[in-house]
Amino acid sequence: MKPYDARLTAFTPKLVTVLGEGYTFDRLRRDSIAGLTVAIVALPLAMALAIASGATPDKGLITAVIAGFLISALGGSRVQVGGPTGAFVVVVFNVIAQHGYDGLLLATLMAGVLLIVAGYSGLGSLVRFIPQPVVTGFTAGIAVIIASSQVKDFLGLSMKTVPADFIPKWSAYFSALGSLQLATLAIGAGSLTLIIALRKWAPRLPGFLIAVVLASAIVALLHVPVETIGSRFPELPTGLPALALPEISLARLQAVAPAAFTIAFLAGIEALLSAVVADGMIGSRHRSNQELVGQGVANMASAVFGGLPATGAIARTATNIRAGAVTPIAGMLHAVFLLLFILFASDLMAFVPLAALAAILFMVAWGMSEHHRFLQLLRMPNGDRSLLLLTFGLTIFIDLTVAIAVGVTLASLLFMMRMSRAVEIASDSEGSAFDAEEEELDQRTALPAGVEVFRIDGPIFFGVANDLMDTLRRIGSAPKIIILRMRRVPLLDASGVTAMGDIVDHAEVLGIRVILSGVTAQPMEMLERVSLGPSSNRVSHSPNFADAVRLASSLTVEPASTAPTLH
């Protein structure tokens, strides 16, 4: 493919590509079922996120319809589903408090422009290099803030205002505990218990929607005295609002610029992370720069319709895939189904108790926290652990923007320090081992059928997993065994060990056995921390490449021509 053609393809929406492949009735059926399933999940979630952000519930639905449709139609992923997400709750709440809702619309409009510029500038491939401790730290911090913001509605506390800062907020909660309403707590706790039970014993059922419908029915039929959407927002508009631009002036642009950059950054990060997760689930490859362009257009459109910031939603995207989606039309149909609800059933929103929506957001926060990965990173060396906790603490107690800036800066300094140490160690060591490896470069022709080999030179960091799997896809068929030659890897940090885990996870999905060859001391120590060392049954280790080839030969290998094809 010529460079010009490759660049043109990189900025072609996936919708155009899949329609060019041919769109059959079977694909439409599968996409329709998936779209309806995701709409059922997104319906209560969009309202809950809007209320938590300090907006009205209809704003969340408008965002899910407008931005959700455009993210799927113009994005670079086959199955990405977009809309309002928990990552924006803190930012949106603060922007509305400081600049009003019109200021939020202007910030969202600016963020959309920034995302489009970033996409056409080719920055989509750079976002993935943000270190894992920073990503996990601020994501977990946002989760804590979201959960904290829902305590008042979950307990039914009587409070005129809820402080924005974390410590004053909890101090106010404790002071207001005497006003706790048992009826509200019962509705909230019952909804939370039902969601958890359905997730454990009937995960295919729409737990969020079932909990909201059941809670609303109990409140309406039994006249339970709890606060509902209708009592807090008595005059909700129906239908889509008219197009309108926010007030634009140089002073206002300067005032909301920091928020716009934060929104753009979060939208880009979450969208690309969600697209990577989707790639791993369906064996596809997204177009990162076109994904940013699609996100930018979607946010600009959401702003002019009066909606909230939007991005790719990992949970809804995963639901879309599990429901059978095969093309972006599934995400577009999810927006159409939500629009039908707004037009014909919006009056039913008034009966939804806020305690039930708080229960939903507790579950959203738990899912965002990535507690397994958080605990895994706590087992990393002091530098990575400190970076995680610092980003986590700054997000909760100071500001999300500060947390990101400090986290990325310190991560860069930490990386440079580790690389300088790795260079010093390499200069003091003998080069005979590397020379021996050089002599084995021609052994690819002697590999058994169904075995592939890759040599990694340099440190492994966040983003290598994508590069390796992209290389696998270019092979055309999935081998049965992959040998990763790692003798020239001087450093494996927390982001790198996460990438290695992603490689092994993806290989397991494809039925590929991974053999690690020549792992040196520091990377081996890191691998052992996440159970990928010599004692692991998920990977095999060999001291050198020749031994790895003998190990691969001893395993039962089918001819590569019968192996599954990678897409």
Side-chain angles (χ1 to χ4, degrees), residues 203-335:
R204 298 185 66 87
L205 294 179
F208 288 168
L209 186 67
I210 291 173
V212 165
V213 169
L214 187 58
S216 302
I218 291 174
V219 169
L221 295 175
L222 301 181
H223 303 288
V224 181
V226 300
E227 192 172 18
T228 64
I229 288 179
S231 63
R232 180 175 292 186
F233 308 102
E235 297 181 359
L236 282 177
T238 59
L240 293 178
L243 290 170
L245 285 173
E247 179 188 343
I248 300 176
S249 66
L250 181 60
R252 286 178 63 80
L253 288 173
Q254 291 175 336
V256 302
F261 277 99
T262 302
I263 291 171
F265 180 81
L266 286 177
I269 285 285
E270 189 163 1
L272 294 180
L273 287 177
S274 178
V276 169
V277 171
D279 287 350
M281 293 179 70
I282 66 175
S284 181
R285 181 185 179 189
H286 74 281
R287 295 164 183 162
S288 57
N289 292 314
Q290 179 58 35
E291 184 63 33
L292 291 185
V293 173
Q295 298 286 337
V297 174
N299 275 279
M300 292 180 67
S302 180
V304 298
F305 274 100
L308 304 169
T311 185
I314 295 176
R316 274 160 277 173
T317 297
T319 301
N320 191 39
I321 295 170
R322 287 194 292 265
V326 288
T327 76
I329 291 178
M332 298 163 63
L333 288 174
H334 124 272

Side-chain angles (χ1 to χ4, degrees), residues 515-527:
I515 299 176
L516 305 182
S517 167
V519 182
T520 54
Q522 193 276 342
M524 182 66 80
E525 179 189 351
M526 295 293 290
L527 290 171

